[in-house]
Amino acid sequence: MTMTDYAFCKGLEYPSIVEASQRVAWTVDDIFANRRFDATRRTVPDSWVGTEHLAFLGDSEQRTLNHIRAFSYAHLLGNFEEFIPVQMSEVTGKDWHDDRPRLRALFRFGEEEMKHQQLFQRTEDVLEASCGHSIGRYFDPNKLRVTVFTKAVLGYPLMARFLLLTAFEFGTQRHYVESVQAGNGGGSDPLYVDVLKAHWIEESQHVKLDVLETARLAAGMTPAEVSEVFDGLLGLGGLIGETFVGQV
Ligand SMILES: [Fe+2]
Ligand SMILES: [Fe+2]
């Protein structure tokens, strides 16, 4: 089997991924443009927090929990993305002689994730400044936890990591859409919606690349080997689950 035999690769090719990625690129300063979050309102959809049914919480307590949830999303995702540039350099280091468009797509992908880390770091800082108080972080500023987490992730098979990335990327689309829909009924902060949108715009290029890379790896594997990769994906899910518990 070759990678082009997979139906899920139909219409996907590296040159158009690079072209789209150049067309939609943004900077963190473009997104923030000296704006702040409006701490008198909720930042993310209520569905992200899931505490509406807790009648003993007053309005301001619900709002504070909402701000904390908005913070935790940026904090966790920013740290999850730490392994991605390392993974892209792993692939380009191995296939450095390959087609230029594929290498450019992989390098751009890695660089964009470095930028996303800055986007989420800025989101954390501006959210705290807007709220007037600090918010607890699972990942410490000395980067001890993110180092342990990143090393653990990188210990899994490459294809399992590409599948994890695909899940993250489809997730960013859902989070953006949910935030816009919540905005229609009142809820999501406009700056936060812009952060989610900017992230998703680039992630929607990454998802194409990840699908192609997954197909490339799967083409050389037996069904038993592919099955092992899915066991690895479960392990990765466990690592992510630990960070959720830690941040809560
Ligand atoms: Fe990202
Ligand atoms: Fe990405």
Side-chain angles (χ1 to χ4, degrees), residues 128 132-137:
E128 285 185 324
H133 59 81
S134 62
I135 298 175
R137 289 163 165 77

Side-chain angles (χ1 to χ4, degrees), residues 157-164 213-214 217-218 221 226 229-230:
L158 186 57
M159 187 167 135
R161 287 181 270 139
F162 272 116
L163 288 171
L164 176 67
E213 291 300 314
T214 300
L217 292 166
M221 286 181 178
V226 172
V229 164
F230 278 86

Side-chain angles (χ1 to χ4, degrees), residues 117-229:
Q117 290 165 26
Q118 292 178 329
L119 176 77
F120 289 125
Q121 183 63 58
R122 179 84 68 94
T123 303
E124 288 184 32
D125 295 344
V126 175
L127 199 54
E128 285 185 324
S130 306
C131 293
H133 59 81
S134 62
I135 298 175
R137 289 163 165 77
Y138 173 70
F139 290 103
D140 54 284
N142 293 330
K143 293 195 158 242
L144 296 177
R145 270 196 175 133
V146 75
T147 305
V148 171
F149 172 80
T150 302
K151 279 187 181 159
V153 170
L154 290 170
Y156 280 86
L158 186 57
M159 187 167 135
R161 287 181 270 139
F162 272 116
L163 288 171
L164 176 67
L165 286 182
T166 312
F168 281 156
E169 288 148 359
F170 278 122
T172 63
Q173 177 178 16
R174 195 177 128 199
H175 302 145
Y176 168 61
V177 171
E178 279 175 2
S179 72
V180 171
Q181 284 169 348
N184 291 336
S188 294
D189 183 282
L191 174 55
Y192 205 88
V193 171
D194 285 351
V195 168
L196 295 175
K197 182 181 180 183
H199 191 225
W200 165 66
I201 281 175
E202 291 189 343
E203 293 298 341
S204 64
Q205 309 314 313
H206 298 176
V207 76
K208 298 175 203 163
L209 182 77
D210 285 339
V211 161
L212 288 176
E213 291 300 314
T214 300
R216 185 180 283 263
L217 292 166
M221 286 181 178
T222 65
E225 285 167 337
V226 172
S227 173
E228 262 177 55
V229 164

